[in-house]
Structures are given as C-alpha cells and as structure tokens.
Amino acid sequence: MRAVPAITVDTPIGADVDLEADDVRTSTGRRLTDTVVNELVEAAAEVRRAGRPSLSGPGVHSPSVTVRLPQELNAKLDCEAARTGKRRSVIVREALEAALSS
C-alpha cells in the first residue's frame, strides 16, 4: 500500500489530483471525493449568503449608520420594539423615512 502524503491547508490541490483515485482527506478525516467537494462548495456558498439581506437590492451593499441616543429615547425605542415585535433598526428606518419624506 502506498504511503499517504501529509496534506495541510497549504497543500495545493489542482486539476492533476484525481479525487476518485487518490486518498485525499479533509481536516476531519473524511475522504475527499468529487461529491464531497460539491457538498463543501454548496455549504460555502450558503455561508456566504448568511447575514441580513441587502436593503438596497440584491448584491448591493446597504450602508449602516451609527447613532447615539439619550437613555430615555433608547428606552422608548426598546419599548416600541417589544410592543410591535419589530427590530429596533426597522423602527428607526421607518421613523427616518417618515421624517425625511416631507
């Protein structure tokens, strides 16, 4: 039996590797096959889509704004979020849209 070479995260794997013939393993010891590679690619694509969706449109960055509030206004915002079940950011966005729409 052929000795399995040590593979690290720095080991390049290119087109010359036949995953069906060569014994290449993931860091957890799972044998890497074309099917496993496809699963890993799909999982990585899902991770990339994690997070909140863009408010500006698909694939467009939504800028964020940090605002400091007095404690009393912050408490009112918390109460409104609890009362309506909306996120604080939604309430602030709606209030800002209403204030700037006139």
Side-chain angles (χ1 to χ4, degrees):
M1 180 173 166
R2 180 176 102 183
V4 178
I7 297 181
T8 68
V9 294
D10 298 320
T11 303
I13 297 179
D16 60 327
V17 175
D18 182 357
L19 293 178
E20 297 304 324
D22 295 327
D23 187 16
V24 179
R25 305 220 172 235
T26 66
S27 61
T28 61
R30 184 177 182 194
R31 182 158 188 256
L32 200 58
T33 63
D34 289 331
T35 302
V36 173
V37 168
N38 290 334
E39 290 172 7
L40 293 172
V41 168
E42 287 177 23
E46 288 298 318
V47 170
R48 185 179 178 114
R49 286 184 281 229
R52 295 188 181 139
S54 172
L55 299 171
S56 303
V60 180
H61 172 73
S62 295
S64 65
V65 176
T66 302
V67 179
R68 293 179 51 179
L69 302 175
Q71 288 183 354
E72 184 178 310
L73 186 56
N74 190 57
K76 287 180 181 180
L77 180 57
D78 285 339
C79 288
E80 183 67 6
R83 185 183 72 76
T84 62
K86 294 180 181 179
R87 291 179 176 265
R88 293 164 42 102
S89 60
V90 171
I91 296 167
V92 171
R93 225 178 353 264
E94 289 173 349
L96 193 56
E97 286 174 359
L100 299 177
S101 67
S102 51

Coordinates of all heavy atoms in Angstrom, one line a residue:
M1 N 0.8 -1.2 0.0 CA 0.0 0.0 0.0 C 0.9 1.2 0.0 O 1.9 1.3 0.7 CB -0.9 0.0 1.2 CG -1.8 1.2 1.3 SD -3.0 0.9 2.7 CE -3.6 2.5 2.8
R2 N 0.5 2.2 -0.8 CA 1.2 3.5 -0.9 C 1.0 4.3 0.3 O -0.1 4.4 0.9 CB 0.7 4.2 -2.2 CG 1.4 5.5 -2.5 CD 0.8 6.0 -3.8 NE -0.1 7.0 -3.4 CZ -0.9 7.7 -4.3 NH1 -0.8 7.4 -5.6 NH2 -1.7 8.6 -3.9
A3 N 2.1 5.0 0.8 CA 2.0 5.9 1.9 C 1.2 7.1 1.5 O 1.4 7.7 0.5 CB 3.4 6.3 2.4
V4 N 0.3 7.5 2.4 CA -0.5 8.7 2.2 C 0.3 9.9 2.5 O 0.9 10.0 3.6 CB -1.8 8.7 3.0 CG1 -2.6 9.9 2.8 CG2 -2.6 7.4 2.7
P5 N 0.5 10.9 1.6 CA 1.3 12.1 1.9 C 0.6 13.0 2.9 O -0.6 13.0 3.0 CB 1.4 12.8 0.5 CG 0.3 12.3 -0.3 CD 0.0 10.9 0.2
A6 N 1.4 13.7 3.7 CA 0.8 14.6 4.6 C 0.2 15.8 3.9 O 0.9 16.4 3.1 CB 1.8 15.1 5.6
I7 N -1.0 16.1 4.1 CA -1.6 17.3 3.4 C -2.0 18.3 4.5 O -2.7 17.9 5.5 CB -2.9 16.8 2.6 CG1 -2.4 15.9 1.5 CG2 -3.6 18.0 2.1 CD1 -3.5 15.4 0.6
T8 N -1.7 19.5 4.3 CA -2.0 20.6 5.2 C -2.9 21.6 4.4 O -3.1 21.5 3.2 CB -0.7 21.3 5.7 OG1 -0.1 22.0 4.6 CG2 0.2 20.3 6.3
V9 N -3.3 22.7 5.1 CA -4.0 23.7 4.5 C -3.2 24.4 3.4 O -3.8 25.1 2.5 CB -4.6 24.8 5.5 CG1 -5.6 24.1 6.4 CG2 -3.5 25.4 6.3
D10 N -1.9 24.3 3.4 CA -1.0 24.9 2.4 C -0.8 24.0 1.2 O -0.1 24.5 0.3 CB 0.3 25.3 3.1 CG 0.1 26.3 4.2 OD1 -0.7 27.2 4.0 OD2 0.8 26.2 5.2
T11 N -1.2 22.8 1.3 CA -1.0 21.9 0.2 C -1.9 22.3 -1.0 O -3.1 22.3 -0.9 CB -1.3 20.4 0.6 OG1 -0.5 20.1 1.7 CG2 -1.0 19.5 -0.5
P12 N -1.3 22.6 -2.2 CA -2.1 22.9 -3.3 C -2.8 21.7 -3.9 O -2.1 20.6 -4.0 CB -1.1 23.5 -4.3 CG 0.2 22.9 -3.9 CD 0.1 22.6 -2.5
I13 N -4.0 21.8 -4.2 CA -4.7 20.7 -4.9 C -5.3 21.2 -6.2 O -6.1 22.2 -6.2 CB -5.9 20.1 -4.0 CG1 -5.3 19.5 -2.7 CG2 -6.7 19.1 -4.8 CD1 -6.3 19.0 -1.8
G14 N -4.8 20.7 -7.3 CA -5.2 21.2 -8.6 C -5.8 20.2 -9.4 O -6.2 19.1 -9.0
A15 N -5.9 20.5 -10.7 CA -6.5 19.6 -11.7 C -5.8 18.2 -11.8 O -6.4 17.3 -12.3 CB -6.6 20.3 -13.0
D16 N -4.5 18.2 -11.4 CA -3.8 17.0 -11.5 C -4.1 15.9 -10.5 O -3.6 14.8 -10.5 CB -2.3 17.3 -11.5 CG -1.8 17.9 -10.2 OD1 -2.7 18.7 -9.6 OD2 -0.7 17.7 -9.7
V17 N -5.0 16.3 -9.5 CA -5.3 15.4 -8.4 C -6.6 14.6 -8.9 O -7.6 15.3 -9.2 CB -5.6 16.1 -7.1 CG1 -6.1 15.1 -6.0 CG2 -4.3 16.7 -6.6
D18 N -6.6 13.3 -8.9 CA -7.8 12.5 -9.2 C -8.4 12.1 -7.9 O -7.9 11.2 -7.3 CB -7.3 11.3 -10.1 CG -8.5 10.5 -10.5 OD1 -9.7 10.8 -10.0 OD2 -8.3 9.5 -11.2
L19 N -9.4 12.8 -7.5 CA -10.0 12.5 -6.2 C -10.6 11.1 -6.1 O -10.8 10.6 -5.0 CB -11.1 13.6 -5.9 CG -10.5 15.0 -5.6 CD1 -11.6 16.0 -5.4 CD2 -9.5 15.0 -4.5
E20 N -11.0 10.6 -7.2 CA -11.6 9.2 -7.2 C -10.5 8.2 -7.0 O -10.7 7.1 -6.4 CB -12.4 8.9 -8.4 CG -13.6 9.9 -8.6 CD -14.5 9.8 -7.4 OE1 -14.8 8.8 -6.8 OE2 -15.1 10.9 -7.1
A21 N -9.2 8.5 -7.4 CA -8.1 7.5 -7.3 C -7.2 7.8 -6.1 O -6.7 6.9 -5.4 CB -7.3 7.5 -8.5
D22 N -7.0 9.1 -5.8 CA -6.1 9.5 -4.7 C -6.8 9.6 -3.4 O -8.0 10.0 -3.4 CB -5.4 10.8 -5.0 CG -4.5 10.8 -6.3 OD1 -3.9 9.7 -6.5 OD2 -4.4 11.8 -7.0
D23 N -6.1 9.3 -2.3 CA -6.7 9.3 -1.0 C -6.4 10.7 -0.4 O -5.4 10.9 0.3 CB -6.2 8.2 -0.1 CG -6.9 8.1 1.2 OD1 -8.0 8.7 1.3 OD2 -6.4 7.4 2.1
V24 N -7.3 11.6 -0.6 CA -7.1 13.0 0.0 C -8.2 13.1 1.0 O -9.4 12.8 0.8 CB -7.3 14.1 -1.1 CG1 -7.2 15.5 -0.5 CG2 -6.3 13.9 -2.2
R25 N -7.9 13.6 2.2 CA -8.8 13.7 3.3 C -9.0 15.1 3.8 O -8.0 15.9 3.7 CB -8.4 12.8 4.5 CG -8.2 11.4 4.0 CD -8.6 10.4 4.9 NE -8.6 9.1 4.3 CZ -9.6 8.3 4.3 NH1 -10.8 8.6 4.8 NH2 -9.5 7.1 3.7
T26 N -10.2 15.4 4.3 CA -10.4 16.7 4.9 C -9.8 16.7 6.3 O -9.3 15.7 6.8 CB -11.9 17.0 5.1 OG1 -12.5 16.1 6.0 CG2 -12.6 16.9 3.7
S27 N -9.8 17.9 7.0 CA -9.2 18.0 8.3 C -9.9 17.1 9.3 O -9.4 16.8 10.4 CB -9.3 19.5 8.8 OG -10.6 19.9 8.8
T28 N -11.2 16.7 9.0 CA -11.9 15.8 9.9 C -11.6 14.3 9.6 O -12.2 13.5 10.3 CB -13.4 16.1 9.9 OG1 -13.9 15.9 8.6 CG2 -13.7 17.5 10.3
G29 N -10.8 14.1 8.5 CA -10.5 12.7 8.2 C -11.5 12.1 7.1 O -11.3 11.0 6.7
R30 N -12.4 12.9 6.7 CA -13.4 12.5 5.6 C -12.7 12.4 4.3 O -12.0 13.3 3.9 CB -14.6 13.4 5.6 CG -15.7 13.0 4.6 CD -16.8 14.0 4.7 NE -17.9 13.6 3.9 CZ -18.9 14.4 3.5 NH1 -19.0 15.6 4.0 NH2 -19.8 14.0 2.7
R31 N -12.9 11.3 3.6 CA -12.2 11.2 2.3 C -12.8 12.2 1.3 O -14.1 12.3 1.2 CB -12.4 9.8 1.7 CG -11.7 9.6 0.4 CD -11.4 8.2 0.1 NE -10.5 8.1 -1.1 CZ -11.0 7.8 -2.3 NH1 -12.2 7.4 -2.5 NH2 -10.2 7.8 -3.4
L32 N -12.0 12.9 0.6 CA -12.4 13.9 -0.3 C -12.7 13.3 -1.7 O -11.8 12.7 -2.3 CB -11.3 15.0 -0.5 CG -11.7 16.3 -1.0 CD1 -12.8 17.0 -0.2 CD2 -10.5 17.3 -1.0
T33 N -13.9 13.4 -2.2 CA -14.3 12.9 -3.5 C -14.9 14.0 -4.2 O -15.2 15.1 -3.6 CB -15.3 11.7 -3.4 OG1 -16.5 12.2 -2.7 CG2 -14.8 10.5 -2.6
D34 N -15.2 13.8 -5.5 CA -15.9 14.9 -6.2 C -17.3 15.3 -5.6 O -17.6 16.4 -5.5 CB -16.1 14.5 -7.7 CG -14.8 14.4 -8.5 OD1 -13.9 15.2 -8.1 OD2 -14.7 13.7 -9.4
T35 N -18.0 14.3 -5.1 CA -19.2 14.5 -4.4 C -19.1 15.3 -3.2 O -19.8 16.3 -2.9 CB -19.9 13.2 -4.1 OG1 -20.1 12.4 -5.3 CG2 -21.3 13.4 -3.4
V36 N -18.1 15.0 -2.4 CA -17.8 15.7 -1.1 C -17.4 17.2 -1.5 O -17.8 18.1 -0.8 CB -16.7 15.0 -0.3 CG1 -16.3 15.9 0.9 CG2 -17.2 13.7 0.2
V37 N -16.6 17.3 -2.5 CA -16.2 18.7 -2.9 C -17.4 19.5 -3.3 O -17.5 20.7 -2.9 CB -15.2 18.6 -4.1 CG1 -15.0 20.0 -4.7 CG2 -13.8 18.1 -3.7
N38 N -18.3 18.9 -4.0 CA -19.5 19.7 -4.4 C -20.3 20.0 -3.2 O -20.9 21.1 -3.1 CB -20.4 18.8 -5.4 CG -19.7 18.7 -6.7 OD1 -19.0 19.6 -7.1 ND2 -20.1 17.7 -7.5
E39 N -20.4 19.1 -2.2 CA -21.1 19.4 -0.9 C -20.5 20.6 -0.2 O -21.1 21.5 0.3 CB -21.2 18.2 0.0 CG -22.0 17.1 -0.5 CD -21.9 15.8 0.3 OE1 -21.2 15.9 1.4 OE2 -22.4 14.8 -0.1
L40 N -19.1 20.6 -0.2 CA -18.4 21.6 0.5 C -18.6 23.0 -0.2 O -18.7 24.0 0.5 CB -16.9 21.3 0.6 CG -16.6 20.1 1.6 CD1 -15.1 19.7 1.4 CD2 -17.0 20.4 3.0
V41 N -18.6 23.0 -1.5 CA -18.8 24.2 -2.3 C -20.1 24.8 -2.0 O -20.3 26.0 -1.8 CB -18.5 24.0 -3.8 CG1 -19.0 25.1 -4.6 CG2 -17.0 23.7 -4.0
E42 N -21.2 23.9 -2.0 CA -22.5 24.4 -1.7 C -22.6 24.9 -0.3 O -23.3 25.9 -0.1 CB -23.5 23.2 -1.9 CG -23.7 22.9 -3.4 CD -24.7 21.7 -3.6 OE1 -25.5 21.4 -2.7 OE2 -24.6 21.0 -4.6
A43 N -22.0 24.3 0.6 CA -22.0 24.7 2.0 C -21.3 26.1 2.1 O -21.8 27.0 2.8 CB -21.4 23.7 3.0
A44 N -20.2 26.3 1.4 CA -19.5 27.5 1.4 C -20.4 28.6 0.8 O -20.4 29.8 1.3 CB -18.2 27.4 0.7
A45 N -21.1 28.3 -0.2 CA -22.0 29.3 -0.9 C -23.1 29.7 0.1 O -23.5 30.9 0.1 CB -22.6 28.7 -2.2
E46 N -23.6 28.8 0.9 CA -24.7 29.1 1.8 C -24.1 30.0 2.9 O -24.8 30.9 3.3 CB -25.2 27.8 2.5 CG -26.1 27.0 1.6 CD -27.3 27.7 1.1 OE1 -28.0 28.4 1.9 OE2 -27.6 27.6 -0.1
V47 N -22.9 29.7 3.4 CA -22.3 30.6 4.4 C -22.1 32.0 3.9 O -22.4 33.0 4.6 CB -20.9 30.0 4.8 CG1 -20.2 31.0 5.7 CG2 -21.1 28.7 5.6
R48 N -21.8 32.1 2.6 CA -21.6 33.4 2.0 C -22.9 34.2 2.0 O -22.9 35.4 2.1 CB -21.0 33.3 0.6 CG -20.7 34.6 0.0 CD -20.1 34.4 -1.4 NE -19.9 35.7 -2.0 CZ -18.7 36.1 -2.3 NH1 -17.6 35.4 -2.1 NH2 -18.5 37.3 -2.8
R49 N -24.0 33.5 1.9 CA -25.3 34.2 1.8 C -25.8 34.5 3.2 O -26.9 35.1 3.3 CB -26.3 33.3 1.1 CG -26.1 33.3 -0.4 CD -27.1 32.6 -1.1 NE -26.8 31.2 -1.0 CZ -26.8 30.3 -2.0 NH1 -27.1 30.7 -3.2 NH2 -26.5 29.0 -1.8
A50 N -25.1 34.1 4.2 CA -25.6 34.3 5.6 C -25.6 35.8 5.9 O -24.9 36.6 5.2 CB -24.7 33.6 6.6
G51 N -26.3 36.2 6.8 CA -26.4 37.6 7.2 C -27.7 38.2 6.7 O -28.6 37.5 6.1
R52 N -27.9 39.4 7.0 CA -29.1 40.1 6.6 C -29.1 40.4 5.1 O -28.1 40.8 4.6 CB -29.3 41.4 7.4 CG -29.5 41.0 8.9 CD -29.9 42.2 9.7 NE -30.0 41.9 11.1 CZ -29.6 42.6 12.1 NH1 -29.0 43.7 11.9 NH2 -29.7 42.2 13.3
P53 N -30.3 40.4 4.5 CA -30.4 40.7 3.1 C -30.2 42.2 2.9 O -30.4 43.0 3.8 CB -31.8 40.3 2.7 CG -32.6 40.2 3.9 CD -31.6 39.9 5.0
S54 N -29.7 42.5 1.7 CA -29.5 43.9 1.4 C -30.8 44.7 1.3 O -31.8 44.2 0.8 CB -28.8 44.0 0.0 OG -28.7 45.4 -0.4
L55 N -30.8 45.9 1.8 CA -31.9 46.8 1.7 C -31.9 47.6 0.4 O -32.9 48.1 0.0 CB -32.0 47.8 2.9 CG -32.1 47.1 4.3 CD1 -31.9 48.1 5.4 CD2 -33.4 46.4 4.5
S56 N -30.8 47.6 -0.2 CA -30.6 48.4 -1.4 C -30.9 47.6 -2.7 O -31.1 48.2 -3.7 CB -29.1 48.9 -1.5 OG -28.8 49.7 -0.3
G57 N -30.9 46.3 -2.6 CA -31.1 45.4 -3.7 C -30.2 44.2 -3.7 O -29.1 44.3 -3.0
P58 N -30.5 43.2 -4.4 CA -29.6 42.0 -4.5 C -28.2 42.4 -4.9 O -28.0 43.0 -5.9 CB -30.3 41.1 -5.5 CG -31.7 41.6 -5.6 CD -31.6 43.0 -5.3
G59 N -27.2 41.9 -4.1 CA -25.8 42.1 -4.4 C -25.3 43.6 -4.2 O -24.2 43.9 -4.5
V60 N -26.2 44.4 -3.6 CA -25.8 45.8 -3.4 C -25.6 46.0 -1.9 O -26.5 45.7 -1.1 CB -26.9 46.8 -3.9 CG1 -26.5 48.2 -3.7 CG2 -27.1 46.5 -5.4
H61 N -24.5 46.7 -1.5 CA -24.2 46.9 -0.1 C -25.2 47.9 0.5 O -25.5 48.9 -0.2 CB -22.8 47.5 0.0 CG -22.5 48.0 1.4 ND1 -22.3 47.1 2.5 CD2 -22.3 49.2 1.9 CE1 -22.0 47.8 3.5 NE2 -22.0 49.1 3.2
S62 N -25.8 47.6 1.6 CA -26.6 48.6 2.3 C -25.8 49.3 3.4 O -25.3 48.7 4.3 CB -27.8 47.9 3.0 OG -28.6 47.3 2.1
P63 N -25.6 50.6 3.3 CA -24.7 51.3 4.2 C -25.4 51.3 5.6 O -26.6 51.2 5.7 CB -24.7 52.7 3.7 CG -25.4 52.8 2.4 CD -26.1 51.5 2.2
S64 N -24.6 51.4 6.6 CA -25.1 51.4 8.0 C -24.7 52.8 8.6 O -23.7 53.4 8.2 CB -24.6 50.3 8.9 OG -23.2 50.4 9.0
V65 N -25.5 53.2 9.6 CA -25.3 54.5 10.3 C -25.4 54.2 11.7 O -26.3 53.5 12.2 CB -26.4 55.5 9.9 CG1 -26.2 56.8 10.7 CG2 -26.4 55.8 8.4
T66 N -24.4 54.7 12.5 CA -24.4 54.5 13.9 C -24.9 55.8 14.5 O -24.4 56.9 14.2 CB -23.0 54.2 14.5 OG1 -22.6 53.0 13.8 CG2 -23.0 54.0 15.9
V67 N -25.9 55.7 15.4 CA -26.5 56.9 16.1 C -26.4 56.7 17.6 O -26.8 55.7 18.1 CB -27.9 57.1 15.6 CG1 -28.5 58.3 16.3 CG2 -28.0 57.2 14.1
R68 N -26.0 57.7 18.3 CA -26.0 57.7 19.8 C -27.3 58.3 20.2 O -27.8 59.3 19.7 CB -24.9 58.5 20.3 CG -23.5 57.8 20.0 CD -22.4 58.6 20.5 NE -22.6 58.9 21.9 CZ -21.7 59.6 22.7 NH1 -20.6 60.0 22.2 NH2 -22.0 59.8 24.0
L69 N -28.0 57.7 21.2 CA -29.2 58.1 21.7 C -29.2 58.4 23.2 O -28.4 57.7 23.9 CB -30.3 57.1 21.5 CG -30.6 56.6 20.1 CD1 -31.6 55.4 20.1 CD2 -31.1 57.7 19.2
P70 N -30.0 59.4 23.7 CA -30.1 59.5 25.1 C -30.8 58.3 25.7 O -31.5 57.6 25.0 CB -31.0 60.8 25.3 CG -31.1 61.4 24.0 CD -30.7 60.4 23.0
Q71 N -30.5 58.0 27.0 CA -31.0 56.8 27.6 C -32.6 56.7 27.5 O -33.1 55.7 27.2 CB -30.6 56.7 29.0 CG -29.1 56.3 29.2 CD -28.7 56.1 30.6 OE1 -29.5 56.4 31.6 NE2 -27.5 55.7 30.8
E72 N -33.2 57.9 27.7 CA -34.7 57.9 27.7 C -35.2 57.5 26.3 O -36.2 56.7 26.1 CB -35.2 59.3 28.1 CG -36.7 59.4 28.2 CD -37.2 60.7 28.6 OE1 -36.6 61.2 29.6 OE2 -38.0 61.3 27.9
L73 N -34.6 58.1 25.2 CA -35.1 57.7 23.9 C -34.8 56.3 23.5 O -35.5 55.6 22.9 CB -34.4 58.7 22.9 CG -34.9 58.6 21.4 CD1 -36.4 58.7 21.3 CD2 -34.1 59.6 20.6
N74 N -33.6 55.8 24.0 CA -33.3 54.4 23.8 C -34.3 53.5 24.5 O -34.7 52.4 23.9 CB -31.8 54.1 24.3 CG -31.3 52.8 23.9 OD1 -31.3 52.5 22.7 ND2 -30.9 52.0 24.9
A75 N -34.7 53.8 25.7 CA -35.7 53.0 26.4 C -37.0 53.0 25.6 O -37.7 52.0 25.5 CB -35.9 53.6 27.8
K76 N -37.4 54.2 25.1 CA -38.6 54.3 24.3 C -38.5 53.4 23.1 O -39.5 52.7 22.7 CB -38.9 55.7 23.9 CG -39.4 56.6 25.0 CD -39.6 58.0 24.5 CE -40.1 58.9 25.7 NZ -40.3 60.3 25.2
L77 N -37.4 53.4 22.4 CA -37.2 52.6 21.3 C -37.3 51.1 21.6 O -37.9 50.3 20.9 CB -35.8 52.8 20.6 CG -35.4 52.1 19.4 CD1 -36.4 52.2 18.3 CD2 -34.0 52.5 18.9
D78 N -36.7 50.7 22.8 CA -36.8 49.3 23.2 C -38.3 48.9 23.5 O -38.8 47.8 23.1 CB -36.0 49.1 24.5 CG -34.5 49.0 24.2 OD1 -34.1 48.7 23.1 OD2 -33.7 49.2 25.2
C79 N -39.1 49.8 24.1 CA -40.5 49.6 24.4 C -41.3 49.4 23.1 O -42.1 48.5 23.0 CB -41.1 50.7 25.3 SG -40.5 50.7 27.0
E80 N -41.0 50.3 22.1 CA -41.7 50.2 20.9 C -41.4 48.9 20.1 O -42.2 48.3 19.5 CB -41.4 51.4 20.0 CG -42.1 51.5 18.7 CD -43.6 51.7 18.8 OE1 -44.1 52.0 19.9 OE2 -44.3 51.6 17.8
A81 N -40.1 48.5 20.2 CA -39.7 47.2 19.6 C -40.4 46.1 20.2 O -40.9 45.1 19.6 CB -38.2 47.1 19.7
A82 N -40.5 46.1 21.6 CA -41.2 45.0 22.3 C -42.7 45.0 22.0 O -43.3 44.0 21.8 CB -41.0 45.1 23.8
R83 N -43.3 46.2 21.9 CA -44.7 46.4 21.7 C -45.1 45.9 20.3 O -46.1 45.2 20.1 CB -45.1 47.8 21.9 CG -46.6 48.1 21.7 CD -47.0 49.5 21.9 NE -46.6 50.3 20.7 CZ -47.3 50.3 19.5 NH1 -48.3 49.5 19.4 NH2 -46.8 51.0 18.5
T84 N -44.3 46.2 19.3 CA -44.7 45.9 17.9 C -44.1 44.6 17.4 O -44.5 44.1 16.4 CB -44.2 47.1 17.0 OG1 -42.8 47.2 17.0 CG2 -44.9 48.4 17.3
G85 N -43.0 44.2 18.1 CA -42.3 43.0 17.6 C -41.4 43.3 16.4 O -40.9 42.3 15.7
K86 N -41.1 44.5 16.2 CA -40.2 44.9 15.1 C -38.8 45.1 15.7 O -38.6 45.4 16.8 CB -40.6 46.3 14.5 CG -42.0 46.3 13.8 CD -42.3 47.6 13.2 CE -43.6 47.7 12.5 NZ -43.9 49.1 12.0
R87 N -37.8 45.0 14.8 CA -36.4 45.2 15.2 C -36.3 46.7 15.4 O -36.9 47.5 14.7 CB -35.5 44.8 14.1 CG -35.4 43.3 13.9 CD -34.4 43.0 12.8 NE -34.2 41.6 12.6 CZ -33.2 40.9 13.2 NH1 -32.3 41.5 14.0 NH2 -33.1 39.6 13.0
R88 N -35.3 47.0 16.2 CA -35.1 48.5 16.5 C -34.7 49.2 15.2 O -35.1 50.3 15.0 CB -33.9 48.6 17.5 CG -34.3 48.1 18.9 CD -33.1 47.9 19.8 NE -32.0 48.9 19.7 CZ -31.9 49.9 20.6 NH1 -32.6 50.0 21.7 NH2 -30.9 50.7 20.4
S89 N -33.9 48.5 14.4 CA -33.4 49.1 13.1 C -34.6 49.4 12.2 O -34.6 50.4 11.5 CB -32.4 48.2 12.4 OG -33.0 47.0 12.1
V90 N -35.6 48.6 12.2 CA -36.8 48.8 11.4 C -37.5 50.0 11.8 O -38.0 50.9 11.0 CB -37.7 47.6 11.3 CG1 -39.1 47.9 10.7 CG2 -37.0 46.4 10.7
I91 N -37.7 50.2 13.2 CA -38.4 51.3 13.7 C -37.7 52.6 13.4 O -38.3 53.6 13.0 CB -38.6 51.1 15.2 CG1 -39.5 49.9 15.5 CG2 -39.2 52.4 15.9 CD1 -39.5 49.5 17.0
V92 N -36.3 52.6 13.6 CA -35.5 53.8 13.3 C -35.6 54.1 11.8 O -35.8 55.3 11.4 CB -34.1 53.6 13.7 CG1 -33.2 54.7 13.2 CG2 -34.0 53.4 15.2
R93 N -35.6 53.1 10.9 CA -35.6 53.3 9.5 C -37.0 53.9 9.1 O -37.1 54.9 8.3 CB -35.4 52.0 8.7 CG -34.5 52.1 7.5 CD -34.2 50.8 6.8 NE -34.7 49.6 7.3 CZ -34.0 48.7 8.1 NH1 -32.8 49.0 8.4 NH2 -34.6 47.6 8.5
E94 N -38.1 53.4 9.7 CA -39.4 53.9 9.4 C -39.6 55.3 9.8 O -40.1 56.2 9.1 CB -40.5 53.0 10.0 CG -40.6 51.6 9.3 CD -41.6 50.7 10.1 OE1 -42.0 51.0 11.2 OE2 -41.9 49.6 9.5
A95 N -39.0 55.6 11.0 CA -39.1 57.0 11.6 C -38.3 58.0 10.7 O -38.8 59.1 10.4 CB -38.6 57.0 13.0
L96 N -37.2 57.5 10.3 CA -36.3 58.4 9.4 C -37.0 58.6 8.1 O -37.0 59.7 7.6 CB -34.9 57.7 9.3 CG -33.8 58.6 8.7 CD1 -33.6 59.8 9.5 CD2 -32.5 57.8 8.7
E97 N -37.6 57.6 7.5 CA -38.3 57.7 6.2 C -39.4 58.7 6.3 O -39.6 59.6 5.5 CB -38.8 56.4 5.7 CG -37.7 55.5 5.2 CD -38.2 54.1 4.8 OE1 -39.4 53.8 5.0 OE2 -37.3 53.3 4.3
A98 N -40.2 58.6 7.4 CA -41.3 59.5 7.7 C -40.9 60.9 7.9 O -41.4 61.9 7.3 CB -42.1 59.0 8.9
A99 N -39.8 61.1 8.6 CA -39.3 62.4 8.8 C -38.7 63.1 7.6 O -38.8 64.3 7.4 CB -38.2 62.4 9.9
L100 N -38.1 62.3 6.7 CA -37.5 62.9 5.5 C -38.3 62.9 4.3 O -37.9 63.4 3.2 CB -36.2 62.1 5.2 CG -35.1 62.2 6.3 CD1 -33.9 61.3 6.0 CD2 -34.7 63.6 6.6
S101 N -39.6 62.3 4.4 CA -40.4 62.2 3.2 C -41.2 63.5 2.9 O -41.7 63.7 1.8 CB -41.4 61.1 3.3 OG -42.3 61.4 4.4
S102 N -41.2 64.4 3.8 CA -42.0 65.7 3.6 C -41.2 66.7 2.9 O -40.1 66.7 2.6 CB -42.5 66.2 4.9 OG -41.4 66.3 5.9

